[in-house]
Amino acid sequence: MKGRWIPIAAAILALMVIGRGFRPEKPLNGFDIHAFGRLPVVDQGRVKPLDTLARTSLMFLSTKQTFYTDGASGTVDRDRAQGMEKSDAIRFFLDVASRSHEARTYEVIRIDHPDVLGLLGMSRDRKYFSVAELLQHGEELDRQIQSARAVESRNQTGFQRKILQLSQRLNSYFYIEDASHLLLVPPDTPGGEWGPIAGADHNHAHPGAGNGAETPTGIKLTAAFLSWAEND
């Protein structure tokens, strides 16, 4: 990847000054999420800002690019967002990656096929559901996914196509939740390989060693995830 991202990542992290000395211009709980969103990540072979990954991911899950939250619960459905504030996708990303227990209750997975809703026992008056709700039907959902995968795409029913779409949305969600594998650590030299902060267990606030985790950038990134998780 191009070496120009190395100083950019270092500069953004330096400006964030993770920890007690951190004083962003417009912090959210003492954390500059917009500066964090400008950090680069390699996704599908391309270097892009984290905010882009966050927005495209939320869009794929829900067909929305923003969501509503009160800090403990969240939804992309404006009609169910009473008492919540509108937030950017990068906050959704941080919650999923760092606060998985709370984030799994966010209603962000879009399901609009009546037969899929019926299979899961969900109300047809809703379009957006949480991962926690869906996992309650994990065994039946997995059975239907495997059954649909066994059928050639040209022969799949509308129900089977929507089941597979739901599977893809869940996989996309868990891709963010397991943030330790994301290629967030730039190479030390131009042309080198980007690395993950693998081994850093963000959801349990316990940083560990891994490829990239012990570099200065990796350490600061781990601190950033932990700071958000602990609301520090």
Side-chain angles (χ1 to χ4, degrees):
M1 297 295 169
K2 295 182 179 179
R4 66 187 181 88
W5 286 100
I6 301 173
I8 292 175
I12 293 173
L13 283 167
L15 288 171
M16 289 180 69
V17 192
I18 301 302
R20 295 183 180 274
F22 173 48
R23 295 292 184 272
E25 183 178 350
K26 293 182 179 181
L28 178 62
N29 298 328
F31 193 104
D32 191 344
I33 62 172
H34 296 102
F36 189 83
R38 291 193 293 271
L39 289 170
V41 61
V42 176
D43 177 56
Q44 297 182 351
R46 293 179 53 237
V47 181
K48 61 186 70 171
L50 262 177
D51 181 67
T52 298
L53 175 61
R55 285 186 292 105
T56 56
S57 296
L58 185 58
M59 185 72 178
F60 181 70
L61 296 175
S62 64
T63 70
K64 306 286 186 180
Q65 293 192 41
T66 57
F67 83 118
Y68 301 86
T69 182
D70 58 9
S73 56
T75 181
V76 293
D77 188 345
R78 184 171 57 183
D79 295 335
R80 293 172 60 86
Q82 186 174 1
M84 300 182 185
E85 63 178 18
K86 190 174 183 179
S87 300
D88 294 331
I90 190 62
R91 179 171 181 178
F92 167 76
F93 172 92
L94 276 163
D95 282 352
V96 173
S98 302
R99 301 172 179 171
S100 64
H101 181 73
E102 292 87 349
R104 284 190 179 190
T105 68
Y106 293 177
E107 298 172 356
V108 295
I109 307 293
R110 182 172 179 131
I111 305 174
D112 50 19
H113 193 283
D115 292 341
V116 177
L117 292 171
L119 171 74
L120 301 174
M122 303 297 190
S123 171
R124 296 189 181 186
D125 295 331
R126 295 172 56 194
K127 290 184 178 180
Y128 304 100
F129 302 87
S130 70
V131 169
E133 289 177 288
L134 297 177
L135 289 181
Q136 293 177 11
H137 306 274
E139 185 174 336
E140 177 60 22
L141 189 56
D142 184 64
R143 189 177 73 82
Q144 293 293 339
I145 291 170
Q146 297 307 319
S147 177
R149 285 175 176 168
V151 180
E152 290 188 20
S153 58
R154 62 183 179 181
N155 296 325
Q156 289 170 354
T157 65
F159 168 78
Q160 289 171 327
R161 286 192 291 270
K162 286 297 185 178
I163 280 289
L164 292 177
Q165 181 187 64
L166 177 56
S167 174
Q168 292 170 345
R169 284 175 170 164
L170 287 170
N171 287 339
S172 180
Y173 180 94
F174 291 124
Y175 176 79
I176 298 173
E177 186 177 275
D178 184 21
S180 62
H181 76 280
L182 294 176
L183 299 179
L184 286 162
V185 182
D188 293 331
T189 57
E193 294 293 325
W194 286 62
I197 37 179
D201 189 350
H202 313 304
N203 284 308
H204 295 86
H206 179 69
N211 180 22
E214 295 182 341
T215 67
T217 299
I219 291 170
K220 290 178 181 179
L221 283 166
T222 299
F225 279 111
L226 296 180
S227 176
W228 184 258
E230 296 168 356
N231 195 20
D232 186 2

